[in-house]
Amino acid sequence: MSVAVTPPALRSFHSGRSAGWPPRPRVVMSVRSSNTVSAAPILIKLQRDCATPLPVLRHVADAMAADMRAGLEVDGGSDLKMILSYVDALPTGNEKGLFYALDLGGTNFRVLRVQLGGKDERVVETEFEQVSIPQELMFGTSEELFDFIASGLEKFAQKEAGNFCLPKGRTRELGFTFSFPVKQTSIDSGILIKWTKGFAVSGTAGKDVVACLNEAMKRQGLNMRVSALVNDTVGTLAGARYWDDDVMVAVILGTGTNACYVERIDAIPKLHGPNSKSGRTIVNTEWGAFSNGLPLTEFDIEMDAESINPGEQIFEKTISGMYLGEIVRRVLLKMAEDARLFGDCDPEKLRMPFSLRTPDICAMQQDSSKDFEVVGSILHDVTGVSSDLIARKIVVDVCDTIAKRGGRLAGAGIVGILQKMEDDSRGLVFGKRTVVAMDGGLYEHYPQYRSYLQDAVTELLGPEISKNIVIEHSKDGSGIGAALLAATNSMYQH
Ligand code: BGC
């Protein structure tokens, strides 16, 4: 029997876990003997189907660049929507005053206020609160969801005190980070194209989400105005650019995934509006919808078919945090049912979709104990199965295979964007320091994923050019970024 073994370096334990990624308690369990002889071929086939050698990465990077061009040519020209953000001016550091931000993009929303002090004082003070969205609201009506959010915002605004100072008679201004595909119609309006990441709220698609929020704020009696509607990638780029002029791209790798970048106006044939003064604008690629040439397995295809958005967001379903754990669960279920990986245990809990989460597979990959105790505990707690050492090793290899494919494909996507920018501006991207601002729990908390991503970027660009490309974690930059963009677009500036 041959079982592919993960290199020892990847097994070392990294303790960088935070609130959302809790380690699980250890439990004592009895060990059942498993039938790993027939699980091995399933693993080997999985590794073959998920392989991302250099030619595959190169194809993905080239196809990403080609899809970007086609999407810039005409709306609907490719899988990539290449949405114009109407953000033509990035923060300069001169922004002053009190601004709010609301970040809606997953199972939590965050509200934030920031007092900006201009070039010298920069960020004087920030405060934020996080509220989790009850599951039923993700499947409810638009009004219910926005009322819930506006009420959280209203409670937060009431607590404004201390260093936070709103000049008399002024309306509070808000940067609204809305992390779903929106057809932006101006800096402060945009139509929801569709929900992603498991949201299925009725009555919002096709509507202006700023109007939805404004109406809800009115119902709450909250005197606040949305000055900027931004995607989380755009907020991250703005937030990171505030500190570093070399930031040209922002990527989110969390529950969902997406990327935006600074584009030249003359490279956007579909733009027929007034020219931006800067000659540049941020384009939100919505790269989660990319699908060209991805190495997919039977497990991906089944997961997609059973999802609430079949045929959509294929790149997102291959590389993002919402799905990696689910793909692993599907592989393990097949190994349990067809090859008795967990012996005679009935893998009942393993049959439940999304019962194994990406933080679980990440935690299993950090287990450096001799007998894979943590892997055994997680398998037992989450999926109800008992496992022996060989089964646990196979489980870790499955996790590694899925994380490796995800990280490497994400790296190839980033190179595709950089390559497109470089081709249009010889030397201005690869020939100097260029920063990719990165945020999202998957990138932050999954060390193997992060290093697979970096490896792919280095492999594709070569050692010299990759020295100029800096991938920088910009933690929670999108909130401050949205507040900064509210400042840049403040009604009191004009
Ligand atoms: C959404 C994007 C968002 C990304 C990261 C995707 O599902 O379509 O708009 O930027 O998730 O949050």
Side-chain angles (χ1 to χ4, degrees):
M1 179 187 86
S2 89
V3 174
V5 175
T6 313
L10 298 181
R11 291 251 168 89
S12 63
F13 182 74
H14 298 254
S15 57
R17 294 187 209 143
S18 67
W21 288 53
R24 294 188 181 263
R26 298 183 167 203
V27 294
V28 179
M29 73 200 70
S30 65
V31 170
R32 300 268 186 107
S33 106
S34 60
N35 185 347
T36 49
V37 177
S38 39
I42 302 176
L43 174 63
I44 289 163
K45 179 167 183 331
L46 181 78
Q47 288 170 328
R48 204 173 48 227
D49 292 347
C50 289
T52 48
L54 197 51
V56 169
L57 295 181
R58 195 145 274 150
H59 171 85
V60 168
D62 290 347
M64 183 68 77
D67 274 9
M68 287 169 72
R69 284 185 197 286
L72 289 172
E73 197 72 43
V74 55
D75 273 340
S78 85
D79 282 346
L80 301 199
K81 293 205 164 53
M82 305 302 282
I83 295 169
L84 308 178
S85 67
Y86 290 83
V87 174
D88 304 335
L90 283 159
T92 57
N94 293 321
E95 296 75 12
K96 273 191 175 172
L98 169 64
F99 294 91
Y100 277 77
L102 163 66
D103 200 332
L104 173 65
T107 45
N108 298 311
F109 72 87
R110 273 163 56 100
V111 284
L112 172 143
R113 69 182 136 245
V114 53
Q115 186 74 36
L116 299 168
K119 267 265 176 315
D120 298 329
E121 294 180 77
R122 293 272 168 157
V123 175
V124 179
E125 193 156 346
T126 56
E127 247 172 25
F128 77 91
E129 269 173 24
Q130 185 154 308
V131 182
S132 78
I133 300 176
Q135 180 84 11
E136 64 272 15
L137 288 187
M138 291 170 67
F139 299 93
T141 67
S142 191
E143 214 166 89
E144 284 163 353
L145 177 67
F146 281 99
D147 278 346
F148 181 74
I149 292 165
S151 126
L153 195 53
E154 201 266 335
K155 283 188 201 118
F156 181 65
Q158 272 184 15
K159 293 183 216 153
E160 183 186 290
N163 278 333
F164 297 101
C165 163
L166 185 75
K168 245 197 150 71
R170 284 204 176 185
T171 300
R172 290 185 186 88
E173 292 185 285
L174 173 81
F176 180 18
T177 306
F178 184 74
S179 311
F180 300 93
V182 158
K183 167 105 179 86
Q184 197 107 18
T185 38
S186 71
I187 184 63
D188 58 3
S189 61
I191 311 288
L192 175 67
I193 300 170
K194 60 179 181 189
W195 290 105
T196 55
K197 296 178 281 198
F199 275 71
V201 177
S202 62
T204 327
K207 289 224 180 103
D208 177 3
V209 292
V210 172
C212 294
L213 179 61
N214 279 335
E215 283 156 22
M217 291 197 297
K218 213 160 150 200
R219 286 195 289 272
Q220 290 295 326
L222 173 61
N223 182 20
M224 199 180 273
R225 171 186 175 273
V226 176
S227 298
L229 169 69
V230 295
N231 184 261
D232 50 355
T233 53
V234 177
T236 300
L237 199 152
R241 183 70 169 243
Y242 184 63
W243 304 105
D244 186 341
D245 284 342
D246 291 337
V247 176
M248 298 296 281
V249 179
V251 175
I252 303 286
L253 284 163
T255 306
T257 184
N258 193 9
C260 75
Y261 71 106
V262 180
E263 181 58 285
R264 289 169 16 180
I265 292 288
D266 59 11
I268 314 178
K270 72 178 176 184
L271 176 63
H272 307 294
N275 262 358
S276 83
K277 274 193 226 125
S278 65
R280 284 162 191 268
T281 191
I282 300 182
V283 174
N284 165 13
T285 65
E286 284 296 333
W287 83 359
F290 176 77
S291 62
N292 192 331
L294 298 174
L296 299 179
T297 66
E298 61 189 283
F299 306 101
D300 301 297
I301 290 160
E302 280 165 21
M303 178 180 75
D304 174 49
E306 289 166 27
S307 72
I308 57 172
N309 53 352
E312 290 175 6
Q313 299 294 101
I314 304 298
F315 196 44
E316 178 160 280
K317 285 172 180 159
T318 318
I319 71 168
S320 87
M322 177 154 175
Y323 303 99
L324 299 187
E326 171 63 7
I327 302 168
V328 170
R329 179 194 71 83
R330 286 171 177 270
V331 179
L332 298 188
L333 183 61
K334 183 177 167 92
M335 288 177 162
E337 287 181 335
D338 294 7
R340 293 179 53 247
L341 179 67
F342 306 114
D344 295 332
C345 285
D346 178 15
E348 198 193 329
K349 273 167 124 184
L350 202 51
R351 290 197 187 95
M352 200 199 301
F354 292 92
S355 53
L356 191 67
R357 302 165 316 137
T358 302
D360 298 322
I361 68 164
C362 170
M364 290 199 279
Q365 262 199 276
Q366 312 316 314
D367 187 357
S368 57
S369 66
K370 210 165 70 267
D371 56 358
F372 285 102
E373 229 183 288
V374 177
V375 177
S377 303
I378 292 175
L379 286 172
H380 183 268
D381 292 356
V382 179
T383 70
V385 298
S386 304
S387 52
D388 63 17
L389 184 57
I390 296 178
R392 292 175 194 177
K393 281 186 176 165
I394 290 194
V395 170
V396 173
D397 283 338
V398 172
C399 299
D400 186 59
T401 306
I402 300 304
K404 181 174 186 176
R405 179 185 64 166
R408 285 174 67 81
L409 291 174
I414 292 171
V415 171
I417 293 181
L418 294 169
Q419 184 69 58
K420 164 16 177 129
M421 295 168 81
E422 170 71 14
D423 288 348
D424 287 358
S425 64
R426 295 259 161 243
L428 291 182
V429 176
F430 289 163
K432 62 176 252 310
R433 179 175 179 270
T434 295
V435 177
V436 177
M438 179 73 81
D439 201 8
L442 179 61
Y443 183 81
E444 184 180 354
H445 299 294
Y446 207 146
Q448 286 85 356
Y449 185 97
R450 221 166 36 226
S451 68
Y452 285 134
L453 183 156
Q454 184 62 60
D455 289 351
V457 170
T458 311
E459 271 173 50
L460 279 163
L461 294 180
E464 279 315 303
I465 292 177
S466 49
K467 273 189 215 142
N468 285 341
I469 305 301
V470 183
I471 300 181
E472 223 159 57
H473 183 205
S474 163
K475 189 168 164 53
D476 298 334
S478 76
I480 297 262
L484 285 165
L485 290 171
T488 315
N489 294 285
S490 164
M491 63 176 168
Y492 299 110
Q493 305 268 319
H494 306 292

